[in-house]
Amino acid sequence: MTQKQRLKYSILIVLVVLATMFGLSYLQSIGSISEKTFQTIAIAVAVVVVVLNGIMRRKVKP
C-alpha cells in the first residue's frame, strides 16, 4: 500500500464514520435509540477506526 492509497482509504473511512455518527444522532433525536446505545456504538466505531488505521500504517511501504 502506498501513501496515496492510505490517504484515499483514510478519507473514505472518515466519510463513513461521519455518516454513521449523523445517522446515530438522527436515530437518537427521533427516539429510536437511547443515549447509552449511541455511546456504545460510537465507542465501537472509534475502536474499529483505530484498528484499521494501525493496520493501514503497517502496510504502507516506504
Side-chain angles (χ1 to χ4, degrees):
M1 176 177 288
T2 64
Q3 286 288 356
K4 190 173 182 179
Q5 287 174 323
R6 182 175 175 224
L7 179 64
K8 287 179 184 177
Y9 284 121
S10 294
I11 291 171
L12 180 64
I13 289 170
V14 166
L15 292 175
V16 168
V17 169
L18 192 61
T20 302
M21 290 303 161
F22 278 134
L24 288 173
S25 180
Y26 173 73
L27 288 175
Q28 186 185 5
S29 70
I30 62 171
S32 290
I33 60 173
S34 66
E35 177 74 23
K36 187 70 175 169
T37 305
F38 177 88
Q39 289 175 352
T40 304
I41 296 172
I43 290 169
V45 168
V47 168
V48 168
V49 168
V50 168
V51 169
L52 282 175
N53 193 29
I55 291 170
M56 284 194 309
R57 181 175 296 170
R58 288 179 184 261
K59 292 197 180 278
V60 170
K61 294 188 172 45

